[in-house]
Amino acid sequence: MSARLPLRPPARLSALLVVCLLASCAPAPQTQQQPVTASTSVSQVSFYPFQAGLSWTYLPDGEAQGGQPYTVRALGPTLFGSVQAQAFNLSGRGADQTSYRLISAAGVQLLGFRKPGLSVRLDPPWREALAEDAWQVGLAWQGESSIAVQSDDGRTNVSGKVNYSYRVLDQRSVSIGGQTYRVWVVNRQITDTVGGLFPASQEQWFAPFVGDVRTPEGLLLTGRNFTGGQ
């Protein structure tokens, strides 16, 4: 955020997947298709940006400008099992993670993610955002998903439940590196039964037509290859 996830102890599993989750799964590599990497111009972005070719760079909150960034790239449509999803790759500082989402005007759902040697599946998908026209201060939603961590040989190493809840706290303008964004401030609360794989409570900043300005993992947006959305 280890090519092979150990069966135990839980503390080592937790450390590995916290690293995995530095951004925000395919069931088995032989069923995974390569994402489509060309289609939509980066000037044509949606409320929840996902068009192939878009990219964002991030640094950890509190870190001085100039450090090696994390980069998130929208890879385009691919299959997650039998479901067509949008793929996003996170790279930088040794990270290599691809997340799979369902994205439409009705919201955003996380199906799971994959990194070399392991994959994580969420069932039902984790709802990360509601409909475009639902955003308002006080908006809240929650859910529960089964979570399964599989190694590339198909073995399920860990399984359990994850419960999540979101609440929109505010809408305000924030400035990062001389750039100002109008963001929705969201608090995300997480509990799970598999060793605390996710930060228990985090603040996320979302800007329509831009994406995450602050990710739930504490990364701040430092650049992108498209304009609009302020």
Side-chain angles (χ1 to χ4, degrees):
M1 282 211 219
S2 145
R4 182 63 64 85
L5 183 68
L7 295 176
R8 62 181 191 277
R12 294 177 60 191
L13 170 64
S14 178
L16 173 63
L17 285 181
V18 165
V19 175
C20 287
L21 288 168
L22 277 176
S24 350
C25 15
Q30 62 268 26
T31 63
Q32 189 64 39
Q33 296 187 2
Q34 291 298 314
V36 177
T37 57
S39 57
T40 307
S41 166
V42 296
S43 65
Q44 301 173 351
V45 298
S46 54
F47 185 93
Y48 297 118
F50 66 87
Q51 285 73 22
L54 299 180
S55 68
W56 303 256
T57 55
Y58 293 90
L59 287 175
D61 193 354
E63 184 173 303
Q65 293 283 341
Q68 181 186 2
Y70 292 96
T71 300
V72 176
R73 294 182 175 87
L75 304 180
T78 187
L79 288 179
F80 177 81
S82 60
V83 179
Q84 182 167 298
Q86 299 295 331
F88 297 82
N89 179 256
L90 170 74
S91 62
R93 306 190 186 191
D96 181 10
Q97 177 180 306
T98 302
S99 300
Y100 301 89
R101 291 178 167 90
L102 302 176
I103 302 177
S104 70
V108 180
Q109 295 174 280
L110 177 66
L111 296 168
F113 58 88
R114 173 172 174 76
K115 66 173 299 180
L118 63 87
S119 60
V120 174
R121 175 181 292 274
L122 296 160
D123 183 27
W126 179 330
R127 183 166 291 279
E128 296 181 303
L130 299 184
E132 295 176 5
D133 60 1
W135 285 90
Q136 60 181 332
V137 174
L139 175 68
W141 67 97
Q142 59 279 319
E144 179 182 273
S145 296
S146 297
I147 183 170
V149 182
Q150 293 183 321
S151 54
D152 278 352
D153 60 10
R155 291 189 304 167
T156 298
N157 294 326
V158 178
S159 61
K161 297 286 187 182
V162 58
N163 289 272
Y164 58 87
S165 64
Y166 291 77
R167 181 173 293 277
V168 180
L169 304 179
D170 192 14
Q171 186 181 30
R172 63 174 181 251
S173 295
V174 298
S175 294
I176 304 173
Q179 183 71 61
T180 300
Y181 301 95
R182 187 69 174 167
V183 303
W184 292 101
V185 179
V186 182
N187 176 259
R188 190 185 81 171
Q189 301 276 345
I190 305 295
T191 59
D192 64 63
T193 63
V194 285
L197 302 183
F198 307 91
S201 178
Q202 282 290 340
E203 186 171 277
Q204 176 183 5
W205 301 343
F206 168 73
F209 304 99
V210 173
D212 280 343
V213 174
R214 187 186 193 277
T215 75
E217 294 73 41
L219 300 178
L220 292 179
L221 181 66
T222 58
R224 53 194 172 116
N225 70 344
F226 60 100
T227 60
Q230 278 92 334

